[in-house]
Amino acid sequence: MIAAVLAGGFTGVDLSQPEFAVGEDHIMSESNVVAVDLTEQEWYLLRRGMGEWGGSASPTDEIARVLGFASEEDLLRGEGRRLREALKREEALSWADWRRALFATEVVFASAIVGAGWDWSITTGLSDEETIGLLRAVQGKVFRAMRSA
């Protein structure tokens, strides 16, 4: 699938409007709002991760759809902007928004093809080592919060 996305040929399922998330032992509505107790550095990571899509990253409509947005425009100026503002205010988010923010951050950090790649540490001030540690912490907190919601 990733090869198809990079080649511009991805026409698979639109993940921007999923109805349910399946957990290990239950199904949770995408619209459930869940507060996650993140540190200031963890909030910063997600804010920068979402913000890099309007900076050093190179999104396309296909990449935006894989990340859970309707289009590149939606990622940069629509739902992505709304999500960036919610992250600035450190708000509780829906499962769909937590997933989009986390996945968008993972991709923009790691990918030198569509993401910030090597520029990440320069543009965010976070080293790769710091970022990986923060990502793992956020992943754990978000998924534990989802399971307990």
Side-chain angles (χ1 to χ4, degrees), residues 44 48 52 55-58 108-128 131:
Y44 177 78
R48 291 309 311 228
E52 288 301 303
S56 60
S58 303
V108 80
F109 160 66
S111 177
I113 297 170
V114 298
W118 295 291
D119 291 338
W120 174 264
S121 63
I122 297 165
T123 60
T124 67
L126 296 170
S127 71
D128 288 357
T131 301

Side-chain angles (χ1 to χ4, degrees), residues 65-103:
R65 282 195 294 274
V66 168
L67 296 175
F69 296 90
S71 63
E72 176 188 2
E73 179 74 16
D74 189 41
L75 169 61
L76 299 177
R77 291 170 206 56
E79 283 294 299
R81 176 178 282 167
R82 182 195 58 75
L83 183 51
R84 285 189 301 278
E85 291 301 317
L87 291 168
K88 284 180 190 173
R89 293 187 298 270
E90 300 181 4
E91 294 179 354
L93 302 174
S94 69
W95 167 234
D97 282 344
W98 281 117
R99 187 184 61 237
R100 288 191 285 194
L102 187 55
F103 190 38

Side-chain angles (χ1 to χ4, degrees), residues 26-80:
H26 69 284
I27 297 176
M28 184 168 115
S29 170
E30 287 287 312
S31 62
N32 284 0
V33 175
V34 177
V36 178
D37 185 24
L38 300 179
T39 67
E40 186 53 42
Q41 277 292 93
E42 292 162 350
W43 283 110
Y44 177 78
L45 171 75
L46 293 176
R47 286 192 298 268
R48 291 309 311 228
M50 286 297 300
E52 288 301 303
W53 289 106
S56 60
S58 303
T60 62
D61 283 340
E62 292 82 8
I63 293 297
R65 282 195 294 274
V66 168
L67 296 175
F69 296 90
S71 63
E72 176 188 2
E73 179 74 16
D74 189 41
L75 169 61
L76 299 177
R77 291 170 206 56
E79 283 294 299

